[in-house]
């Protein structure tokens, strides 16, 4: 993954966010990161709502998305993203506490790239994030607005 | 990733397939691996309806898909799979030599899970496959059974 990819993290838990950021960096991922604390903020940014931060047309984005978030949950965020002809190209990695098989299936049905269950214990969580980081270092991310 | 997930690899190059298989295993992946040597073989597996659905009830699948393959290429395979209401939920990881941004964009548009360019030199290739293997050890792959299909429809 190139340095110019901006990693969006939709995560309402401060502790989890901190662990995610720190451990992605430890696995060599130093890309710019933007955090959203709930689904509404995430959508406002992606759909370029006036009055707040907005995505840039020419940028490349990858989204780490929690499901259980205030205001609008991750499932709805995923659904809206995948219904948009531009945004649907953005890789969305679900990173959440729930391991319910129906939720896993639903997210894949809606078009998530990958689904990861946050391990409950600290060591497992860190290890999983580091593996995500290593993996991100070899993936390709498209520009949302397409190749010029 | 659950132990019963079967990893399908569509790869026409024997050397590449061997490296991928070996290095996934070195990263701790001991799931069953099935190989297709070209795009037609890949599609045949998915379209043999009765047997495929029977197989699907007993396992979950993840597909690693090369693009440049004889007969039917990987982009066509991806397109057909993502048009199928049953198979579209299966994660598809593109693992291919081409780094053409238009191809990357097209595959994401069609719904690939992730796109990885095979590094040209050996060490980096091995390294990339190991990272994929480590990553696969933490992902969840959906079951593709008929009951799940019905549940999915009721949204």
């Amino acid at each position: 993954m190139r340095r110019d990819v901006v990693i969006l993290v939709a995560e309402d838990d401060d502790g989890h966010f901190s662990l995610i950021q720190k451990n992605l960096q430890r696995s060599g991922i130093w890309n710019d990161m933007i955090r959203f604390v709930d689904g509404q903020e995430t959508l406002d940014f992606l759909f370029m709502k006036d009055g707040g931060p907005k995505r840039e047309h020419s940028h490349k984005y990858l989204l780490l998305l929690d499901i259980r978030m205030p205001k609008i949950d991750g499932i709805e965020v995923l659904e809206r993203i995948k219904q948009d002809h531009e945004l649907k190209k953005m890789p969305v990695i679900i990173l959440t506490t729930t391991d319910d098989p129906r939720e896993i299936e639903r997210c894949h049905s809606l078009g998530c790239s990958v689904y990861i269950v946050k391990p409950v214990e600290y060591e497992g969580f860190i290890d999983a994030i580091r593996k995500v980081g290593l993996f991100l270092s070899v993936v390709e991310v498209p520009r949302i607005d397409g190749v010029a | 990733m659950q132990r019963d997930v079967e990893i399908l690899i569509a790869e026409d190059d024997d050397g590449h397939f061997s490296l991928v298989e070996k290095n996934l295993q070195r990263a701790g992946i001991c799931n069953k691996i099935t190989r297709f040597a070209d795009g037609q073989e890949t599609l045949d597996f998915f379209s043999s309806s009765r047997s495929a659905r029977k197989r699907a009830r007993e396992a979950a699948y993840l597909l690693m898909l090369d693009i440049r393959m004889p007969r039917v290429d990987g982009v066509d395979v991806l397109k057909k799979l993502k048009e199928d209401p049953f198979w579209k939920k299966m994660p598809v990881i593109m693992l291919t030599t081409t780094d053409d941004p238009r191809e990357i964009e097209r595959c994401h548009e069609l719904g690939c899970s992730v796109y990885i360019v095979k590094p040209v030199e050996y060490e980096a290739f091995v390294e990339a496959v190991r990272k994929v293997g480590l990553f696969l050890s933490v992902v969840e792959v959906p079951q593709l059974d008929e009951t799940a299909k019905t549940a999915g429809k009721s949204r």
Side-chain angles (χ1 to χ4, degrees), chain A residues 92-107:
Chain A
V92 180
I93 295 180
I94 303 289
L95 183 59
T96 190
T97 45
T98 179
D99 61 356
D100 180 351
R102 285 163 305 182
E103 204 86 287
I104 295 169
E105 195 230 331
R106 178 92 200 274
C107 288

Side-chain angles (χ1 to χ4, degrees), chain A residues 19-102:
Chain A
L19 279 176
I20 289 168
Q21 183 174 47
K22 207 170 297 185
N23 287 286
L24 283 181
Q25 285 167 353
R26 282 195 183 129
S27 58
I29 301 296
W30 287 89
N31 300 54
D32 284 346
M33 211 174 273
I34 298 177
R35 183 216 177 161
F36 309 113
V37 299
D38 61 51
Q40 188 64 64
E41 254 185 25
T42 313
L43 290 176
D44 288 348
F45 175 87
L46 290 171
F47 287 90
M48 301 178 291
K49 186 175 167 186
D50 283 332
K54 300 195 265 279
R55 69 172 167 94
E56 308 275 345
H57 281 291
S58 58
H59 283 187
K60 293 180 181 183
Y61 295 102
L62 178 139
L63 172 63
L64 296 183
L65 180 60
D66 192 4
I67 291 182
R68 308 264 166 273
M69 288 189 293
K71 298 204 204 174
I72 295 180
D73 74 17
I75 300 283
E76 197 180 325
V77 170
L78 175 63
E79 198 164 13
R80 298 267 298 268
I81 286 171
K82 294 299 173 182
Q83 280 167 357
D84 182 282
H85 76 282
E86 275 196 344
L87 287 172
K88 69 177 191 172
K89 288 176 280 186
M90 176 178 68
V92 180
I93 295 180
I94 303 289
L95 183 59
T96 190
T97 45
T98 179
D99 61 356
D100 180 351
R102 285 163 305 182

Side-chain angles (χ1 to χ4, degrees), chain B residues 105-117:
Chain B
E105 194 212 340
R106 178 112 166 96
C107 289
H108 279 89
E109 208 162 30
L110 290 171
C112 74
S113 299
V114 134
Y115 190 111
I116 297 171
V117 174

Side-chain angles (χ1 to χ4, degrees), chain B residues 8-81:
Chain B
L8 309 172
I9 301 182
E11 170 60 68
D12 66 316
D13 184 303
D14 293 336
H16 282 187
F17 170 71
S18 180
L19 278 176
V20 172
E21 186 184 40
K22 206 170 299 184
N23 287 286
L24 283 179
Q25 287 164 350
R26 281 194 184 131
I29 299 296
C30 37
N31 301 57
K32 179 176 178 200
I33 289 178
T34 297
R35 180 207 180 170
F36 309 119
D38 62 49
Q40 191 58 59
E41 238 186 84
T42 314
L43 290 178
D44 289 345
F45 175 87
F46 292 110
S47 67
S48 69
S49 51
R50 210 168 277 166
S51 62
R53 272 146 175 78
K54 176 171 178 257
R55 279 196 292 272
R57 272 194 210 100
E58 290 153 9
Y61 296 103
L62 179 139
L63 172 66
M64 295 182 66
L65 183 56
D66 192 5
I67 290 183
R68 308 264 166 273
M69 288 191 293
R71 301 211 273 169
V72 181
D73 76 22
V75 178
D76 283 336
V77 171
L78 174 65
K79 183 164 193 285
K80 290 223 159 67
L81 289 174

